[in-house]
Amino acid sequence: MLFDFYHRHRFLIVAIGATAFVFLLASILRHEMLQSNLFDLGIFDQAVYLISRGAHPYVTTLGFHILGDHAALVLYPIALLYALVPHVYWLFFVQAVALALGALPVFQLARREGLSPEWSKVATLAYLAYPALFNINLFDFHTEVVGLPALLWAVWAGLSRRYLQLAIAVAIVLASKAVMSLTVVMLGVWLFLKRERLAGALVGTAGLTWFYLSSKVVIPMFTGGPPAAVGRYSYLGHSLGEIVWNVFTQPTLVLGRLFGPEALVYYIGLLVPVALAIHWRKATAMVPALAMLLMNVLSDMSAQRDLVHQYSLPIFPFLILWQIQSLKHFELNGTRRWLTPRVLGIWMLISFLAFAKFGYFFSLYTTRLTNLPAAKQAMNLITGPGGVLSESALASHLSQRERVEMINAETEPTEEYLGRYGYVLLDTTNPAWRNSAEYSRTLQQRLETDPRFRRVFNDQGIQLFARIL
């Protein structure tokens, strides 16, 4: 029976399994090369660890309860894995599997559109080989990855009128991150336009309701203010209401961003992997992605406009959907006969090689290899209680405790400040994000003269100071 199941679904099992394995291996390797960060990996590791222990998930990096970050309720079921064995590898596992599982609804959508088995497989591989998928997996961990396969599942369920499945899928998407509610709203609009009016209205209402509750109730309840991302649009206003109002009443501010050079480069990066097999008549498939695309383009944060960070995650699945519907259009109209599975496969490979950041393993990710053994040895000495202050890249390995913070060059190392920690771990040769060599030396000198601390490790620029009990 198992053999028959494998034989019938061999392509999907192998494609999803192989992708998940590669993604998991890549994440672990990056982490072990000391290239992950307390912000963001350590944030979620600390929160999930505390939840799994029944403790209050106050994240010291953020300074508030984890639900004040993105109202990501999905962290609570993930904590069940930490209850078995508390290890950050679980986050990498969840992320790798979730991203790879998106291939299943993509295949089902392709078959639903009437594509042949061969073209359905190509469309599935186009999803798995989309460069942003690989890159997002490398960038620490983010809760919205759990919403990705659910989002594609919701598209299939909505079109197939599987309303119970649609409701479950939408609930998972909303639980993955507050801002995903905007994508759900636009998904509802799209379903309504596809004449699934009841489903569209209910989905859109669910998205609007959770957007209001998360941004106006949940997040402010834990932070005392609006979502942190609001600050990225300060030129448009200082509240969600002001921003939305000015988007529609100040068109010159918006148009300059929408058609600026940086935005055009971003559009090209998103479109190139699918450009060979899309038709403008099927561009309505992108309706669910419009809210996040607009947010990314209008943001002051340039990281929202690249294929490296997680911000494009709610966008590119609908590029794949656009491609699927276009392939069917070409078949029905007898156009682009030159576009064969082999041609598209070659284009996918070229796009992956051009935009996927696998080369980081041979360049950017090698910067900490020289003193990696010393760093590992020092971290193994941190076994006692007390908070930890360290470089962002090292602190992500030490985040399963009630207090862990990264060194910030803008923070004055006062006696009160240092008194918060039981350990201070420095890398004076490779200062990480938000730190500097000068600040590391200042902090080192301050610790050397502080009678509350003693140096317990010093090798290859790695210095560990422990509080004297």
Side-chain angles (χ1 to χ4, degrees):
M1 191 176 200
L2 285 175
F3 179 80
D4 289 339
F5 178 84
Y6 173 77
H7 182 73
R8 287 197 309 272
H9 305 285
R10 179 173 54 188
F11 167 76
L12 285 172
I13 292 172
V14 172
I16 292 172
T19 301
F21 176 77
V22 171
F23 282 7
L24 177 60
L25 188 63
S27 294
I28 291 174
L29 181 59
R30 177 181 181 266
H31 182 63
E32 295 303 326
M33 293 172 74
L34 305 181
Q35 295 299 324
S36 56
N37 289 283
L38 183 63
F39 203 115
D40 294 326
L41 180 63
I43 288 174
F44 296 112
D45 186 39
Q46 183 185 30
V48 175
Y49 172 77
L50 293 174
I51 292 170
S52 72
R53 292 297 182 267
H56 182 68
Y58 181 91
V59 179
T60 46
T61 305
L62 300 174
F64 47 76
H65 190 289
I66 188 60
L67 290 183
D69 187 21
H70 296 298
L73 298 172
V74 74
L75 290 171
Y76 283 83
I78 292 176
L80 296 175
L81 298 173
Y82 271 56
L84 299 174
V85 179
H87 205 296
V88 71
Y89 284 7
W90 280 122
L91 296 184
F92 298 145
F93 174 80
V94 168
Q95 181 160 270
V97 171
L99 292 175
L101 273 177
L104 179 57
V106 166
F107 183 82
Q108 295 296 338
L109 283 166
R111 296 297 289 148
R112 188 188 179 283
E113 286 292 325
L115 294 185
S116 67
E118 184 178 18
W119 271 116
S120 296
K121 292 177 182 179
V122 171
T124 303
L125 293 175
Y127 165 82
L128 293 173
Y130 193 86
L133 193 74
F134 181 84
N135 297 342
I136 289 167
N137 177 72
L138 284 182
F139 185 53
D140 291 350
F141 170 84
H142 297 90
T143 56
E144 56 263 51
V145 298
V146 178
L148 178 59
L151 185 60
L152 288 161
W153 178 22
V155 173
W156 175 84
L159 294 176
S160 303
R161 299 185 176 180
R162 307 291 182 91
Y163 298 127
L164 178 59
Q165 294 188 43
L166 175 62
I168 295 172
V170 166
I172 295 173
V173 175
L174 295 176
S176 68
K177 191 175 183 179
V179 75
M180 292 287 278
S181 58
L182 295 178
T183 302
V184 170
V185 171
M186 296 308 297
L187 175 61
V189 172
W190 181 73
L191 287 172
F192 193 89
L193 294 175
K194 298 290 285 187
R195 298 185 179 180
E196 298 294 337
R197 291 185 171 84
L198 178 60
L202 292 175
V203 168
T205 301
L208 281 173
T209 301
W210 182 240
F211 178 74
Y212 177 83
L213 290 175
S214 60
S215 61
K216 294 293 187 180
V217 180
V218 179
I219 292 176
M221 180 170 62
F222 292 109
T223 66
V230 169
R232 302 172 190 173
Y233 308 90
S234 57
Y235 70 98
L236 287 171
H238 301 288
S239 67
L240 288 172
E242 284 184 19
I243 291 170
V244 173
W245 174 258
N246 287 325
V247 163
F248 292 101
T249 61
Q250 302 280 345
T252 54
L253 292 177
V254 174
L255 291 175
R257 297 286 182 126
L258 289 177
F259 299 103
E262 190 176 5
L264 294 177
V265 171
Y266 179 46
Y267 301 148
I268 292 171
L270 286 170
L271 286 170
V272 164
V274 298
L276 213 62
I278 56 175
H279 193 282
W280 66 270
R281 289 185 181 275
K282 298 299 177 179
T284 54
M286 287 297 294
V287 168
L290 292 181
M292 286 308 304
L293 183 63
L294 183 65
M295 287 185 65
N296 289 348
V297 173
L298 296 183
S299 173
D300 278 333
M301 186 177 178
S302 60
Q304 290 187 226
R305 292 179 294 279
D306 59 34
L307 295 180
V308 177
H309 297 86
Q310 75 278 12
Y311 301 103
S312 295
L313 184 142
I315 297 173
F316 76 83
F318 298 101
L319 287 167
I320 303 300
L321 178 62
W322 185 5
Q323 185 180 67
I324 289 172
Q325 295 183 347
S326 297
L327 288 171
K328 185 60 180 178
H329 176 83
F330 299 146
E331 180 184 353
L332 291 175
N333 292 275
T335 54
R336 296 198 195 181
R337 296 183 182 276
W338 51 267
L339 184 62
T340 64
R342 180 185 296 272
V343 170
L344 187 54
I346 294 173
W347 182 258
M348 287 156 42
L349 178 61
I350 293 172
S351 299
F352 182 84
L353 294 175
F355 293 101
K357 303 304 180 183
F358 58 89
Y360 281 1
F361 285 101
F362 310 101
S363 55
L364 184 65
Y365 293 167
T366 63
T367 55
R368 295 184 175 275
L369 295 182
T370 54
N371 60 358
L372 187 150
K376 295 278 189 177
Q377 188 176 349
M379 287 189 288
N380 288 335
L381 296 176
I382 302 176
T383 56
V388 171
L389 176 67
S390 185
E391 306 282 347
S392 179
L394 303 182
S396 63
H397 292 256
L398 304 164
S399 47
Q400 292 186 5
R401 54 185 60 238
E402 290 189 1
R403 177 174 290 278
V404 58
E405 296 181 36
M406 63 183 180
I407 297 172
N408 189 331
E410 296 180 358
T411 303
E412 180 69 25
T414 62
E415 181 177 339
E416 180 184 359
Y417 173 69
L418 294 176
R420 303 174 185 173
Y421 310 106
Y423 299 91
V424 180
L425 179 60
L426 305 176
D427 183 350
T428 57
T429 60
N430 296 302
W433 180 55
R434 289 192 176 178
N435 193 17
S436 66
E438 181 181 357
Y439 185 80
S440 292
R441 287 191 296 269
T442 300
L443 193 56
Q444 174 190 334
Q445 293 168 2
R446 179 69 180 81
L447 289 164
E448 288 172 341
T449 58
D450 193 322
R452 297 171 299 174
F453 289 88
R454 64 185 178 92
R455 182 159 40 204
V456 296
F457 186 88
N458 185 12
D459 186 26
Q460 297 182 16
I462 301 294
Q463 300 187 45
L464 175 63
F465 292 84
R467 192 179 180 90
I468 300 173
L469 299 178

